[in-house]
Amino acid sequence: MTDPQSANHSMGPAFSRRSVLGGIGVGAALAGMPSTALAQALGAQGLGPNFPGLTKIINDYVSEKKVAGMLAAIGFGQADPQVISAGTLKLGGETPVGMNTLWRMYSQTKPVTGMATMLLIEDGLLSLDQPVSDIFPEFKDMQVLVDPEGALEDTVAAKQPITIRQLQTHTAGLGYTIVSKGPIQKAYLEAGLTPGRVSRNPIPGVDAGAPTPDIMTFVKRLAEMPLVYQPGTQWSYSLSHDVLSAVIEKISGKTLDAFLQERMFGPLGMKDMFYHVPAERASDLADNYAPFAGSLIPIDPGATSIYLDKPAFAFGSTGLVGTAADYDKFLKMLVGFGTVGDVQIMKPETAKLGMSNLLPEGASTKGTWVVNHGFGAGGRSGLGTAASPKGTFGWGGAAGTSAFVDTERGLRAGGYTQYIPSNSYPFQSEFPKYVYADLLGMAPQAGEGKTSP
């Protein structure tokens, strides 16, 4: 259990996240750019594109001291990624950021937990539309708030059970202290339903809440709370992937971190992904900052980071700290539909299902970060439109990171930096646009290269 003096801060209203991968928005040009055109563009460049636009953006962020360091890793197929980087682990520091720098992934953890859940579905131990009450009876006969911001006593009975599909897609009706308001947010804070760590020190305007309990106590307390929406009806960012962390532990008999090590991290050679950063790796952990009045305020220096403390459990929603090199291996596995080289993590059909639109029929996304998009196993999923390209899947994190794959074009990309809240700058939400803009600029135009009749 986390020491309350360590400020196991929930990411409260001041740290609410905006859209990640929202409106990839490169329009009809991308929709009409098949993988063959991309391959031609890459071939014309020899080893691949140089991403001049993205390179300038990264260099500008660092030179203007908006961030201490920033890095992008972009790969095609199973090839090694191209790396663009600038800056250092801390402002005024001497150690440059690189592929072995440790970054707080925050919600980039969700797709990892989502795909871990898909492994149990592949194993036949779970099914997408299975009620969670089969695993945790506490979630049977849930109550739902009449008003999501209203009195906790004013409830009606849930019309349907919470399912694994709903947990994967944030449609289970659960709340989240970073988006919920009113009495339910206060109740979550008082119960320690705050699986996210920011700083050891108090942060002005942010209620740290009670210490987060062990995972099974966490689940019990959460099940005692009313839901904010009827299950299956509304996309609403939530604690669902922490419940999936408990589901994985209950079904597999292993904690989430142990399960991931056995089924994913170990086989893929992901040696630098941590829920608890070892003391000897503190020197590799980038400082995390809060932009304020044109300056960067260090809120979690790597040398004394709260991530050097053991968490209450392996948070399925926010807990991972890792390198761009290791997260790229996870993305490479997705682009390879479950396989990297001769290592198969999951069957192709499992990977494709996890990256597909799993939203329950009729679930509303109106007014949310995923409007006009699908949602899969912990990440936004492309619907095959200009705004939501087919084959895209990914998510970002509260400290400004962003990662996605485009299986139609064999593309994977991760952007890394450390500032919170993520909407302080547009880097996270615009990162896919930066990547595609450079690619589109190098793609052959219609008729280019053809000889006249």
Side-chain angles (χ1 to χ4, degrees):
M1 187 174 295
T2 304
D3 181 351
Q5 298 304 314
S6 294
N8 179 21
H9 285 293
S10 66
M11 289 167 281
F15 292 93
S16 62
R17 276 160 269 188
R18 295 182 65 184
S19 172
V20 282
L21 304 184
I24 284 178
V26 290
L30 177 60
M33 179 183 173
S35 57
T36 53
L38 178 57
Q40 290 171 359
L42 296 178
Q45 295 291 317
L47 295 177
N50 296 318
F51 296 95
L54 180 57
T55 299
K56 183 179 187 303
I57 288 165
I58 288 175
N59 286 330
D60 286 350
Y61 263 93
V62 172
S63 65
E64 294 169 11
K65 292 185 168 54
K66 290 182 177 179
V67 298
M70 187 174 277
L71 180 146
I74 305 167
F76 301 90
Q78 300 288 297
D80 290 341
Q82 298 175 64
V83 180
I84 306 164
S85 65
T88 53
L89 298 184
K90 60 189 301 181
L91 280 176
E94 296 181 356
T95 305
V97 298
M99 289 296 278
N100 292 317
T101 296
L102 292 173
W103 310 94
R104 297 158 191 80
M105 299 291 178
Y106 283 115
S107 286
Q108 269 183 225
T109 304
K110 290 179 171 74
V112 176
T113 304
M115 288 299 168
T117 305
M118 296 305 298
L119 284 171
L120 291 180
I121 292 173
E122 178 178 293
D123 293 345
L125 299 175
L126 283 178
S127 63
L128 273 174
D129 295 309
Q130 180 177 359
V132 177
S133 58
D134 286 356
I135 301 118
F136 292 106
E138 299 95 323
F139 284 103
K140 192 174 182 180
D141 302 323
M142 296 293 289
Q143 294 292 304
V144 184
L145 291 173
V146 172
D147 177 353
E149 299 178 25
L152 300 185
E153 298 78 19
D154 192 4
T155 63
V156 296
K159 296 179 181 179
Q160 60 178 295
I162 295 172
T163 65
I164 299 298
R165 177 188 300 273
Q166 293 164 6
L167 291 177
Q168 287 278 45
T169 59
H170 297 294
T171 56
L174 299 170
Y176 212 178
T177 56
I178 65 173
V179 294
S180 297
K181 298 178 181 178
I184 191 67
Q185 183 195 55
K186 182 180 179 183
Y188 271 41
L189 289 168
E190 290 176 349
L193 301 177
T194 54
R197 303 191 292 169
V198 177
S199 177
R200 294 178 183 275
N201 303 310
I203 299 175
V206 177
D207 186 346
T212 305
D214 66 272
I215 191 167
M216 295 306 164
T217 301
F218 176 93
V219 166
K220 183 176 184 298
R221 291 181 185 177
L222 184 60
E224 291 170 351
M225 299 287 176
L227 301 174
V228 293
Y229 293 105
Q230 285 285 347
T233 65
Q234 175 68 46
W235 191 94
S236 183
Y237 214 36
S238 71
L239 292 173
S240 61
H241 287 79
D242 295 298
V243 178
L244 286 173
S245 178
V247 168
I248 290 168
E249 181 169 335
K250 192 73 176 286
I251 295 295
S252 72
K254 300 178 177 68
T255 59
L256 175 61
D257 51 333
F259 182 84
L260 286 170
Q261 181 59 38
E262 179 182 299
R263 297 291 297 272
M264 190 181 299
F265 293 172
L268 290 175
M270 297 169 65
K271 299 178 181 178
D272 296 316
M273 296 294 280
F274 306 107
Y275 285 94
H276 178 200
V277 177
E280 63 270 19
R281 295 300 303 276
S283 59
D284 296 320
L285 180 57
D287 287 6
N288 196 15
Y289 293 90
F292 180 76
S295 299
L296 289 177
I297 309 301
I299 58 172
D300 190 45
T304 57
S305 174
I306 194 169
Y307 283 89
L308 298 172
D309 296 342
K310 187 176 181 180
F313 59 91
F315 302 148
S317 61
T318 65
L320 283 173
V321 173
T323 64
D326 269 8
Y327 206 88
D328 183 67
K329 294 173 184 176
F330 172 68
L331 298 178
K332 187 183 292 187
M333 183 272 291
L334 296 181
V335 167
F337 297 116
T339 297
V340 177
D342 59 357
V343 176
Q344 184 180 65
I345 301 301
M346 60 181 66
K347 296 176 181 177
E349 54 267 32
T350 305
K352 291 176 182 179
L353 180 62
M355 290 185 282
S356 70
N357 180 26
L358 298 177
L359 285 170
E361 185 176 356
S364 175
T365 60
K366 185 178 179 180
T368 75
W369 303 333
V370 298
V371 64
N372 299 323
H373 294 270
F375 206 86
R380 186 181 278 102
S381 176
L383 292 176
T385 65
S388 182
K390 181 181 178 181
T392 54
F393 174 80
W395 202 239
T401 62
S402 177
F404 70 98
V405 297
D406 180 339
T407 59
E408 285 289 292
R409 297 161 187 84
L411 168 70
R412 63 188 199 276
Y416 300 91
T417 189
Q418 300 280 256
Y419 62 83
I420 196 167
S422 61
N423 61 356
S424 301
Y425 306 125
F427 177 78
Q428 181 196 73
S429 61
E430 299 293 292
F431 176 69
K433 294 182 184 179
Y434 301 150
V435 173
Y436 283 122
D438 278 340
L439 290 175
L440 288 166
M442 285 175 277
Q445 300 301 309
E448 188 173 308
K450 293 182 180 179
T451 57
S452 300

